[in-house]
Amino acid sequence: MGYYKNRTLTFDNSYIIEGYTVAGPKENDGRYKGFFDLALNDDMFGQNTFERAERKMFEHAIDGVIGKANLENGDVDAVLGGDLLNQNVSMSFSARNQHAGFLGLYNACATYAESLIVGSCLVSNGYENVVCVAGSHFSTAERQYRYPLELGVLRSPVTQWTATGVGATVLSNQSAVSVPKITRATIGRVVDYGIMDVNNMGAAMAPSACDTLVTFFRDTNACPEDYDVIYTGDLGKLGSDILLDLARQEGCDISSKQHDCGASLYWDEQQTYQGGSGAACSALVFNSVLLGRLRRGEYKKILLLGTGALMSPTTSFQGDSIPAITHLVEVCI
Amino acid sequence: MEKTYEITKDNYKSYVFEKMPKSSHWKNMIWAFIVGGVICTIGQAFIELYKLWFSVEDASVLASGTMVLIAAIFTGLGIYDNIGRFAGAGSTIPITGFSNAVVSPALEFRSEGYIYGVGAKMFLVAGPVIVNGVTISVIIALLTLLFGG
């Protein structure tokens, strides 16, 4: 693991005003049933294509979070975020209805954490309210990255299941009441340990998660004991195990603190093997579960690590390995 | 399992391989044998049925067609992929697997229209099988022609 340079930012006034989640049917049958603001009965969401359904989920999440925060469309200065589809279409298309400025972001499944970091920079520089959003849809991702839905194939035991859902957050530069705040963040670097197997994204991303985590601890002199929980995005069960091994090797034992949004999203009987993956994982779990626990004071200080595998089907077919990225945000109440 | 060596970028792949859960080959093979066997038995039953009215050759062709049709319907109903999830090669290798490989992308890309969707993407999965099958058969035919058979 490398420790190269201080990459940790500090924020004084990045307040998390509100969060809103739209979850697919399988996700709402999972471990966090009932935590979501809107749970779909049908992952087509009344549309005639899955792509349109994903877009509608984004629109709902953005409008939902703005309404829930008692803001008007015109109060938002910027919307930023992304999805997994080529050209970031779900995000960009759903921003058509907004008056706010728009930044499309892509860091695969680390997009949500990326949007929180960029959003915190914006509110620290005079923007009043920004909406950070990320999501994914199983059926659109499956088509783009893997096989047709109805093709009968044996899945490898290291595979994960792309989560269907969108999570959106309003960040503000002020808050009248005490709300959770983003206090520090580390921008990750791209790390590639040569994993070629696109099924095994947890293994591809774990070294990057360790790299960012260790960088944050060295930058800030913080230690795992300072935090109630450390949530990784979508390393899955295997990826989490690998992260624990790698972090221990760097002298930092996070085994009693680490949880994974993806691995915890589904029950074992839902047959997702290593758990959930996709940009939706961290956005869903953070906005529905973690934000609530922070507000109720169950957690005082947490870390969220968005983990992303940056390959495309083309690079995989051409025999390239999978680069990965992890961004870290520290949230305190 | 506690690791005893240092994980580095160089040995990372072998570390991951050691750590990852493996496919259960015996379980997969037994399921493939059972499901593949059942599919072939059903096919044989259709051949026997059609033989009541047709010649053996015609009965075989009709039985294949029937199996392709059944698999296409099962794909459309969303059943075939659930069988394939545990049967593996058992449901891929028989002619029904070929039907599933053509129908599933056709369904998937229907949303992009009949020309750029269904027409262009129908053989997304089956295409390589056809191309390689035809190429190999031409090579074998040439070898047979040259060296006698």
Side-chain angles (χ1 to χ4, degrees):
Chain A
M1 287 301 135
Y3 174 67
Y4 292 93
K5 190 173 186 301
N6 189 332
R7 277 185 273 129
T8 301
L9 299 158
T10 306
F11 302 109
D12 296 322
N13 56 343
S14 175
Y15 298 93
I16 303 174
I17 302 294
E18 202 51 85
Y20 190 94
T21 47
V22 180
K26 184 167 176 137
E27 290 62 33
N28 195 47
D29 280 340
R31 209 171 256 132
Y32 302 122
K33 185 180 179 66
F35 278 89
F36 307 111
D37 294 280
L38 178 66
L40 308 179
N41 297 320
D42 171 20
D43 62 355
M44 287 292 273
F45 207 178
Q47 304 295 302
N48 58 356
T49 71
F50 288 119
E51 284 73 14
R52 290 201 179 97
E54 181 172 347
R55 236 172 271 164
K56 192 175 169 190
M57 284 166 44
F58 270 84
E59 288 166 3
H60 257 259
I62 298 168
D63 292 337
V65 79
I66 294 172
K68 204 174 163 193
N70 292 318
L71 297 172
E72 300 285 326
N73 199 332
D75 296 334
V76 177
D77 298 301
V79 174
L80 42 137
D83 58 273
L84 296 180
L85 299 190
N86 292 336
Q87 285 79 38
N88 229 352
V89 279
S90 303
M91 179 68 238
S92 313
F93 279 50
S94 57
R96 285 187 294 200
N97 311 327
Q98 301 299 324
H99 303 307
F102 168 65
L103 288 174
L105 305 177
Y106 181 81
N107 261 181
C109 312
T111 302
Y112 179 65
E114 182 189 17
S115 75
L116 290 180
I117 298 176
V118 178
S120 297
C121 293
L122 295 179
V123 294
S124 300
N125 280 284
Y127 271 29
E128 271 179 45
N129 301 300
V130 301
V131 174
C132 304
V133 51
S136 49
H137 192 300
F138 172 77
S139 301
T140 61
E142 201 66 7
R143 165 203 287 222
Q144 181 175 305
Y145 289 98
R146 293 176 198 98
Y147 303 111
L149 292 175
E150 300 301 334
L151 186 69
V153 285
L154 205 60
R155 292 174 61 218
S156 152
V158 293
T159 52
Q160 290 168 266
W161 185 275
T162 309
T164 301
V166 178
T169 309
V170 171
L171 294 182
S172 287
N173 64 356
Q174 55 198 357
S175 171
V177 291
S178 170
V179 292
K181 276 169 55 171
I182 295 178
T183 41
R184 290 189 285 206
T186 303
I187 297 180
R189 64 188 189 96
V190 177
V191 174
D192 189 340
Y193 265 38
I195 293 291
M196 312 287 277
D197 180 5
V198 283
N199 291 313
N200 199 353
M201 288 191 292
M205 297 188 292
S208 121
C210 182
D211 186 273
T212 303
L213 188 72
V214 167
T215 301
F216 173 77
F217 284 144
R218 290 186 186 160
D219 281 353
T220 59
N221 291 319
C223 61
E225 289 68 39
D226 298 342
Y227 297 91
D228 296 307
V229 280
I230 297 172
Y231 264 85
T232 48
D234 59 348
L235 292 178
K237 292 169 196 147
L238 174 64
S240 297
D241 281 351
I242 296 174
L243 171 63
L244 297 185
D245 276 355
L246 292 171
R248 201 173 292 127
Q249 195 168 284
E250 297 295 315
C252 120
D253 183 5
I254 56 165
S255 52
S256 59
K257 305 283 183 184
Q258 192 264 348
H259 301 267
D260 188 68
C261 299
S264 64
L265 196 55
Y266 303 101
W267 300 111
D268 288 344
E269 18 334 336
Q270 287 179 292
Q271 296 207 335
T272 58
Y273 301 96
Q274 299 300 321
S277 70
C281 286
S282 51
L284 279 181
V285 175
F286 182 80
N287 287 292
S288 60
V289 185
L290 302 182
L291 201 50
R293 289 180 187 162
L294 281 160
R295 283 170 162 178
R296 291 191 297 273
E298 291 165 32
Y299 296 153
K300 300 267 185 259
K301 210 173 178 189
I302 69 168
L303 292 180
L304 178 72
L305 286 90
T307 46
L310 301 173
M311 80 297 175
S312 83
T314 309
T315 60
S316 302
F317 287 140
Q318 292 178 352
D320 291 305
S321 59
I322 304 170
I325 187 138
T326 301
H327 299 300
L328 175 150
V329 286
E330 179 193 67
V331 185
C332 303
I333 180 103
Chain B
M1 184 178 59
E2 200 59 35
K3 63 164 191 65
T4 49
Y5 55 91
E6 195 196 1
I7 310 159
T8 62
K9 198 170 173 172
D10 297 322
N11 68 16
Y12 186 65
K13 273 197 233 177
S14 53
Y15 155 78
V16 169
F17 186 76
E18 226 172 79
K19 186 122 186 147
M20 68 188 230
K22 308 292 181 298
S23 304
S24 164
H25 291 308
W26 280 109
K27 195 179 129 208
N28 289 345
M29 282 194 286
I30 290 167
W31 272 116
F33 179 78
I34 293 170
V35 176
V38 168
I39 291 172
C40 295
T41 310
I42 296 170
Q44 187 62 41
F46 276 114
I47 294 177
E48 297 302 325
L49 181 71
Y50 289 131
K51 271 203 316 207
L52 298 175
W53 302 286
F54 304 101
S55 68
V56 180
E57 288 79 22
D58 289 349
S60 301
V61 173
L62 280 169
S64 298
T66 310
M67 294 305 281
V68 165
L69 179 70
I70 292 173
I73 292 169
F74 271 43
T75 303
L77 293 175
I79 298 170
Y80 206 89
D81 60 320
N82 292 330
I83 300 172
R85 201 157 290 163
F86 63 88
S91 62
T92 311
I93 301 296
I95 199 163
T96 51
F98 197 74
S99 170
N100 173 246
V102 175
V103 175
S104 60
L107 280 173
E108 182 97 4
F109 291 96
R110 167 70 189 84
S111 63
E112 282 154 48
Y114 286 110
I115 294 172
Y116 294 109
V118 178
K121 301 283 174 63
M122 198 172 195
F123 290 95
L124 193 70
V125 182
V129 181
I130 297 172
V131 172
N132 291 312
V134 170
T135 310
I136 299 290
S137 61
V138 168
I139 292 170
I140 301 285
L142 280 174
L143 288 176
T144 313
L145 189 73
L146 288 175
F147 301 108

